Amino acid sequence: VISVPVELGPRRYEVLVGPGVRHELGRVLAERLAGRAERAAVVTQAAVEAAGWLADLDVGTPYDVTVVPDGEQAKSMAVVEQLCRTFARNGLGRRDAVVAVGGGVVTDTAGFAAASYHRGVAYLNVATTLLAQVDAAIGGKTGVDLPEGKNLVGAFWQPAAVLCDTEVLATLPAREWTCGRGEMAKYAFLGQGPPDASLLALPLDEQVARCVALKAQVVAGDEREGGGREVLNYGHTLAHALEAAAFDGRGDLPHGQAVAIGLVFAALLARRLGRIDDERVALHRRVIGGFDLMAALPAGADPEALVELMARDKKARHDLTFVLDGPAGVELVHGVGRADVLATLTEMGAWR
Ligand SMILES: NC(=O)c1ccc[n+]([C@@H]2O[C@H](COP(=O)([O-])OP(=O)(O)OC[C@H]3O[C@@H](n4cnc5c(N)ncnc54)[C@H](O)[C@@H]3O)[C@@H](O)[C@H]2O)c1
């Protein structure tokens, strides 16, 4: 088991990574809550339960299981209300705990319910998707969507611990592997020191742990998005535009694949702006390829429409803003020229 601390002073916690670490739940919960939890509310999804990952769960206290619906639509105020009402009916007290067992949808929603119920009860994440293990379950950003937009309501509420059991990934569908791999590729370019492709050569649990350590480092430096945490959006500006754009074939574009395209785009744009050299661009392509992801724009994607969408990205206030690689590493760059962005998108080429 690899233990990675998230250094947040009084809110410090550990992320445990390795095959079978879900079995540490009872011990970790008792330790972190100093034995005061008398019961727990386990929140999960049908696919996780069907895969058998709850069957041998040792919570260490009596617990109830609540299954939330599948997909992004489960991240709603209605589901949070249902969860809190269920907690109340089951007698969950302010010293008790919520345990989220699932991917990012479950950890975001259950985390926000925990942040709100009794004005905040403890919660632990047992992350069961690769994306949740390397990203969503760590860092304390919890929340749900509104019809008006994604993640519009939420709270910074740190978990008491995160368990990343690599064994449970055995049942993860191929599409969800792609989602997680796109985020993993991003981490190859974050952190101190020049990036390299060494992440690719590690065994899975060490890959996950290295990504967790990078996320933990960024979160510890900027718990509430005051400045610094935006590097986690590397590759995401174009990814969000691709996800928002309407074109043939977009429907089956997994988030991680969109991020991979966004990473290669960001590298080409950085080269065009004189921030990085050919070798660094090649490294981006090597990492993307190593994670079995495509590096070109999907067929039918319209560069003009993508530029429009990126100009409206919430991270860009009045101009085109990107997280870009450079001599000092990955950082936020404002005021990128529209012509450079368009030329880079055109340079990327398309699938098929
Ligand atoms: N809070 C953050 O910092 C943060 C960061 C990144 C992403 N997110 C959020 O995470 C969400 C996406 O999370 P996700 O990619 O984990 O998707 P997800 O939570 O929707 O899970 C994908 C699917 O896999 C199933 N599943 C989960 N674990 C499984 C397993 N071990 N075996 C079989 N099936 C399993 C789920 O039931 C679901 O159907 C988005 O809503 C995104 O906004 C949050």
Side-chain angles (χ1 to χ4, degrees):
V1 175
I2 309 171
S3 171
V4 182
V6 185
E7 299 291 357
L8 288 168
R11 290 176 300 287
R12 177 190 195 277
Y13 55 95
E14 295 198 349
V15 182
L16 302 185
V17 183
V21 293
R22 69 185 184 286
H23 300 303
E24 303 287 318
L25 178 61
R27 178 186 66 77
V28 171
L29 189 111
E31 216 171 273
R32 294 291 289 151
L33 275 75
R36 59 171 202 269
E38 285 173 6
R39 61 181 312 112
V42 171
V43 181
T44 193
Q45 275 179 334
V48 180
E49 201 170 30
W53 302 121
L54 291 184
D56 54 1
L57 207 65
D58 167 24
V59 183
T61 64
Y63 65 97
D64 305 278
V65 176
T66 306
V67 176
V68 298
D70 209 49
E72 189 67 26
Q73 60 275 19
K75 277 179 53 173
S76 70
M77 294 296 277
V79 169
V80 171
E81 181 177 2
Q82 282 305 322
L83 282 175
C84 290
R85 292 182 62 186
T86 306
F87 298 164
R89 278 199 302 272
N90 291 338
L92 196 77
R94 59 181 78 244
R95 290 163 169 274
D96 295 333
V98 172
V99 178
V101 186
V105 164
V106 172
T107 58
D108 275 13
T109 310
F112 182 50
S116 315
Y117 183 70
H118 276 305
R119 300 187 185 84
V121 296
Y123 80 112
L124 281 85
N125 288 327
V126 180
T128 65
T129 64
L130 184 59
L131 182 136
Q133 296 192 352
V134 299
D135 195 353
I138 308 153
K141 271 170 60 171
T142 71
V144 296
D145 306 336
L146 294 177
E148 286 73 15
K150 205 168 133 64
N151 295 325
L152 280 182
V153 180
F156 289 100
W157 191 242
Q158 298 293 342
V162 180
L163 306 182
C164 299
D165 189 340
T166 46
E167 208 169 85
V168 309
L169 301 177
T171 56
L172 201 63
R175 183 188 172 87
E176 304 308 329
W177 276 99
T178 301
C179 284
R181 284 189 178 127
E183 299 295 347
M184 281 187 133
K186 161 186 94 178
Y187 286 111
F189 303 96
L190 304 185
Q192 275 119 22
D196 57 49
S198 60
L199 181 63
L200 292 168
L202 299 175
L204 181 63
D205 55 344
E206 287 176 37
Q207 281 187 351
V208 171
R210 190 187 291 182
C211 296
V212 167
L214 287 164
K215 171 116 194 203
Q217 196 185 348
V218 173
V219 168
D222 178 19
E223 186 179 4
R224 292 180 157 240
E225 295 199 306
R229 198 148 160 166
E230 63 278 354
V231 299
L232 294 171
N233 270 317
Y234 191 38
H236 283 62
T237 308
L238 178 59
H240 291 150
L242 285 167
E243 287 166 341
F247 57 85
D248 292 347
R250 183 204 63 120
D252 47 17
L253 188 68
H255 177 67
Q257 178 53 77
V259 171
I261 298 166
L263 289 169
V264 173
F265 161 75
L268 291 170
L269 181 58
R271 181 176 65 182
R272 184 173 290 272
L273 299 176
R275 297 176 55 88
I276 61 171
D277 58 14
D278 292 353
E279 203 185 313
R280 196 84 149 229
V281 173
L283 180 62
H284 280 74
R285 291 192 185 281
R286 199 148 69 240
V287 170
I288 300 303
F291 280 116
D292 285 330
L293 300 163
M294 310 265 265
L297 284 181
D302 170 20
E304 290 275 356
L306 291 172
V307 176
E308 276 318 303
L309 286 162
M310 289 194 284
R312 273 189 263 142
D313 191 273
K314 69 173 179 195
K315 302 284 187 304
R317 262 146 290 168
H318 304 294
D319 56 6
L320 280 160
T321 297
F322 294 93
V323 178
L324 295 177
D325 198 2
V330 167
E331 63 188 356
L332 203 60
V333 179
H334 294 284
V336 177
R338 195 191 152 89
D340 286 324
V341 176
L342 256 182
T344 306
L345 285 169
T346 310
E347 175 190 357
M348 286 187 76
W351 294 356
R352 281 181 238 151

